[in-house]
Amino acid sequence: MRLADKVALVTGAGSGIGRATAELFAAEGARVVLADIDEAAARRVLESLPAGSDGLAWGCDIANGAAVERLFAAVERRYGRLDVLVNNAGLGQVPGDGFEHYQQRMAQRNAQLAVGQTPDVFTDMIVDLTDAGWQRLLAINVDGAFYCSRAAVRLMIASGRKGSIVNVASLSALSGEGPLAYCTAKAAMLGMTKCLARDLGPRGIRVNAVCPGPTRTPIMQSISAEWVQALERAIPLGHMLEPEEIARTNLFLASDESSAFTGQTLAASGGMLML
Ligand SMILES: NC(=O)c1ccc[n+]([C@@H]2O[C@H](COP(=O)([O-])OP(=O)(O)OC[C@H]3O[C@@H](n4cnc5c(N)ncnc54)[C@H](O)[C@@H]3O)[C@@H](O)[C@H]2O)c1
Ligand SMILES: CC(C)C1=CC=C(C(=O)O)[C@@H](O)[C@H]1O
């Protein structure tokens, strides 16, 4: 049991990678707090955990700082401490974020490549990005990770315990492939990871990031079939990743097995990007 007696909070635990992570952490002995904007989804995951699992499901929009404070107050009341935070909740697409434009350009590029043409260079993705789309994408992926990390660190310090924070970013942060707001937000998470790792290392709190490549979760339904096919062709291991594979990477970083790691980024991408 690699997380025996640990208290772990996973955001976006109602679906996909977050769900797989919460299930694996529970199987490894953790008491898991499942936070999700979709409270019913978080509750369903909690109810599906093996009998005897101890956990808490909580509805929370992580982009709302006050709501995040209420979430962590509930964790403190219930457990008095926190050992692991996985900043996983995130969105690939919000209205006005230029995603549609990006997908059209990807489809055009793939069609050109398929007939041996040199693809057009993208130069104007930014023009369709609205203020609201940009701000919402960054609010969820960046502000949310900040609010949760701040509250988690306060709790870890107050309870005098070491801890581990795992930030689920994206391969898009490293490759620049993806809509502008998404790439920007995920890259910001990597900067946050490194700065917090330096700051919190002396307190025994480790901070690392995972950059998943294309992973078979509901988020993938928001992207076109052509883009999915192009992504799969680009993965040397030859298959779209499963959420359980990312969950095992999260477990490694959450547990003491990664005691030598802080400030690091693991590209869990089937070799799509080699660092
Ligand atoms: N699936 C992929 O290919 C892939 C690749 C790279 C990175 N990621 C990242 O992995 C993370 C998980 O994605 P997934 O593929 O499991 O997606 P998913 O859509 O299956 O799950 C995301 C979960 O986050 C929740 N959520 C969304 N906004 C929230 C908010 N504001 N507050 C709280 N919860 C919120 C959703 O309700 C959902 O349960 C995301 O950060 C995503 O950017 C996914
Ligand atoms: C938007 C999201 C599902 C996504 C798009 C593209 C990726 C890529 O690596 O090209 C992904 O990793 C993923 O985050």
Side-chain angles (χ1 to χ4, degrees), residues 46-104:
L46 178 64
E47 286 165 2
S48 73
L49 297 179
S53 305
D54 181 17
L56 174 68
W58 196 268
C60 175
D61 176 356
I62 58 158
N64 178 333
V68 169
E69 290 301 314
R70 288 193 290 277
L71 162 67
F72 280 80
V75 176
E76 187 166 18
R77 277 197 305 278
R78 174 79 170 252
Y79 296 115
R81 65 187 171 87
L82 184 73
D83 302 287
V84 174
L85 167 67
V86 182
N87 280 316
N88 166 78
L91 278 189
Q93 184 174 22
V94 295
D97 69 356
F99 200 97
E100 290 301 326
H101 186 124
Y102 182 76
Q103 292 208 72
Q104 285 160 11

Side-chain angles (χ1 to χ4, degrees), residues 176-194:
E177 289 272 349
L180 178 59
Y182 187 74
C183 290
T184 305
K186 292 303 191 180
M189 290 181 81
L190 302 187
M192 195 187 306
T193 299
K194 292 177 191 174

